[in-house]
Amino acid sequence: MMKNLGYTLMFSATLAFSCGGSSEQTVETIEIESEENEWVDLFDGQSFDGWKKYGGGDVGKAWKIQDETIFLDAANKENWEAGDAGDIVTVEEFENFHFQLEWKIAENGNSGIIFLVHESEEYSYPWMTGLEMQILDNDGHPDAKIVTHRAGDLYDLIESSEETVKPLGEWNLAEIIVNQGELELHLNGVMVVSTSLWTAEWEEMVAGSKFKDMPGFSKYKKGKIALQDHGDEVWFRNIRIKQL
């Protein structure tokens, strides 16, 4: 569960002044408000506590924990059995939040972070409801030839304002901020996407995308966060969230 540590500290400062045998005291009350919310880890580095397979069940065996990272072992996909892989999602849903993780992708790899996901039997995949921050090897994957399909993009909707992805094999810091209908995507400390959700302009943009025939896409203002199995090796670490 998210923790709310909002509280106010109050203290008084008493200053004494002396003049001609008399004294005067001035008392000042100062209020200090703490940060209302704190960062909460969504991955403890040791277990899949708080995570599940999208659609039900435990995280599949293709997902592994390695050196305190979540790792999709796609190099051994020929040994996968039914149910071993698939997208994974948080057990908890989130509404207004600041989410962070670090990712790196294998050569020619493709994956994504999908958020505001509504898990239901009605929807077979997280991307049928949730929005995606793209993860990609821009230099090797053919999807990189498509504007809005490159690393850091709001997938198939908005391209990054600039390319800040690091060279293949290096860790990238991704941040997703959703707050009262405003969305920001940050990659490696740079805000690369900023937009307003659920406006007439937003609906028009969705209608011009590959999601136009998905009635549940981007309709939910609260949802889960998914890590995508796109069949390629990908690593995630330092996964945390703060409610806003």
Side-chain angles (χ1 to χ4, degrees):
M1 297 295 291
M2 302 296 296
K3 301 176 183 177
N4 190 323
L5 298 185
Y7 59 91
T8 299
L9 297 178
M10 300 181 63
F11 66 90
S12 296
T14 302
L15 304 177
F17 300 93
S18 178
C19 180
S22 64
S23 64
E24 180 181 349
Q25 287 188 334
T26 301
V27 178
E28 181 182 6
T29 300
I30 302 174
E31 294 187 5
I32 301 176
E33 187 171 349
S34 75
E35 187 175 4
E36 289 186 359
N37 302 291
E38 65 173 5
W39 288 104
V40 174
D41 291 332
L42 295 181
F43 173 54
D44 62 12
Q46 306 296 325
S47 72
F48 285 111
D49 289 349
W51 294 84
K52 62 186 290 294
K53 183 177 181 179
Y54 180 83
D58 295 334
V59 174
K61 294 180 181 179
W63 290 96
K64 302 182 184 303
I65 296 174
Q66 181 183 84
D67 299 326
E68 298 189 339
T69 71
I70 293 177
F71 166 55
L72 182 64
D73 188 17
N76 295 310
K77 66 174 67 176
E78 67 275 7
N79 298 318
W80 289 357
E81 298 179 2
D84 281 354
D87 301 329
I88 63 175
V89 295
T90 57
V91 172
E92 191 171 351
E93 292 186 330
F94 306 97
E95 190 170 4
N96 298 310
F97 59 84
H98 185 168
F99 174 81
Q100 290 183 345
L101 61 67
E102 290 179 283
W103 63 262
K104 66 178 180 178
I105 191 76
E107 186 175 7
N108 304 325
N110 186 340
S111 184
I113 308 162
I114 309 174
F115 54 99
L116 297 178
V117 172
H118 181 73
E119 187 176 22
S120 166
E121 293 181 357
E122 185 179 356
Y123 306 112
S124 301
Y125 300 97
W127 44 261
M128 298 180 77
T129 57
L131 290 69
E132 179 181 348
M133 184 178 187
Q134 174 77 310
I135 292 174
L136 200 77
D137 171 13
N138 282 353
D139 294 326
H141 197 281
D143 234 28
K145 298 177 182 178
I146 304 172
V147 175
T148 70
H149 286 204
R150 295 171 67 83
D153 292 350
L154 182 61
Y155 181 77
D156 209 60
L157 292 166
I158 301 176
E159 64 178 306
S160 298
S161 58
E162 60 181 289
E163 187 165 313
T164 61
V165 67
K166 294 186 177 180
L168 188 67
E170 294 188 19
W171 288 98
N172 293 271
L173 173 62
E175 300 180 73
I176 299 168
I177 302 172
V178 178
N179 194 14
Q180 304 298 327
E182 299 301 314
L183 170 65
E184 294 179 8
L185 303 183
H186 296 242
L187 187 61
N188 296 318
V190 177
M191 184 173 69
V192 293
V193 171
S194 177
T195 192
S196 297
L197 304 174
W198 311 305
T199 63
E201 292 78 11
W202 171 261
E203 296 299 333
E204 183 179 358
M205 183 165 51
V206 171
S209 75
K210 67 186 296 182
F211 305 109
K212 61 182 182 297
D213 296 323
M214 299 181 190
F217 179 78
S218 78
K219 298 302 184 185
Y220 297 92
K221 297 184 179 181
K222 182 178 183 179
K224 301 183 176 186
I225 296 172
L227 305 181
Q228 187 180 47
D229 165 18
H230 207 283
D232 299 316
E233 287 186 301
V234 62
W235 294 259
F236 302 96
R237 71 181 185 186
N238 296 329
I239 308 172
R240 63 180 189 164
I241 198 165
K242 180 195 293 187
Q243 285 197 145
L244 301 176

